[in-house]
Amino acid sequence: MDIHKNGRKTIFANPDYFTGKVWQEPIVTAPEPARVRAVNVTFAPGARTNWHTHPLGQTLHVTSGEGRACVWGGEIQVIRPGDTVWIPPGEKHWHGAGPETAIVHVAIHEALDGKHIDWLEPVTDEQYAG
Ligand code: MN
């Protein structure tokens, strides 16, 4: 058993894959053969992921603030604390903060062949504005 004590290092998200300020605190990156990963992610107002997909899907659970999530070709959805979002494998989407509100969500996903995400192009300001 490993107990990871509070106070683990905060990681700024790679700006190649995000717009705006985003930071992450790992919850679990389980060693093989486990493949679950969970991370607490904070988005500053206006910040969001690039478009992306997850090979085995993803669950988002919102813990504070107010944000947005959107599937390719769909309407932008408002997400709030207590909401849980399931994104099926391969579904192109983005998630992030509201224009004037930060959001914090837990992201839970499984890796396939060591990979849990496939990054695509940035979400433009026009797409983010809906
Ligand atoms: Mn995602």
Side-chain angles (χ1 to χ4, degrees):
M1 180 167 70
D2 295 326
I3 297 178
H4 301 283
K5 296 292 188 182
N6 191 13
R8 296 169 78 189
K9 190 174 170 187
T10 298
I11 301 159
F12 282 103
N14 185 336
D16 290 348
Y17 305 133
F18 293 83
T19 297
K21 279 279 187 224
V22 180
W23 59 98
Q24 307 175 333
E25 289 122 5
I27 296 171
V28 63
T29 306
E32 301 251 354
R35 34 188 202 183
V36 66
R37 297 177 185 190
V39 60
N40 199 51
V41 190
T42 303
F43 296 79
R48 65 270 188 181
T49 66
N50 278 16
W51 290 101
H52 63 280
T53 62
H54 302 282
L56 295 176
Q58 182 180 53
T59 298
L60 304 176
H61 183 73
V62 182
T63 55
S64 73
E66 184 184 286
R68 304 286 185 271
C70 188
V71 170
W72 183 257
E75 299 276 303
I76 293 173
Q77 305 288 324
V78 175
I79 54 174
R80 296 191 176 91
D83 291 349
T84 302
V85 183
W86 164 245
I87 296 133
E91 185 170 83
K92 183 174 175 177
H93 69 288
W94 61 264
H95 35 101
E100 297 183 323
T101 55
I103 188 174
V104 183
H105 68 48
V106 177
I108 305 158
H109 35 254
E110 293 177 285
L112 180 64
D113 300 324
K115 197 172 175 188
H116 67 276
I117 190 160
D118 288 297
W119 289 111
L120 301 165
E121 71 277 15
V123 175
T124 66
D125 290 343
E126 293 72 21
Q127 290 170 330
Y128 181 70

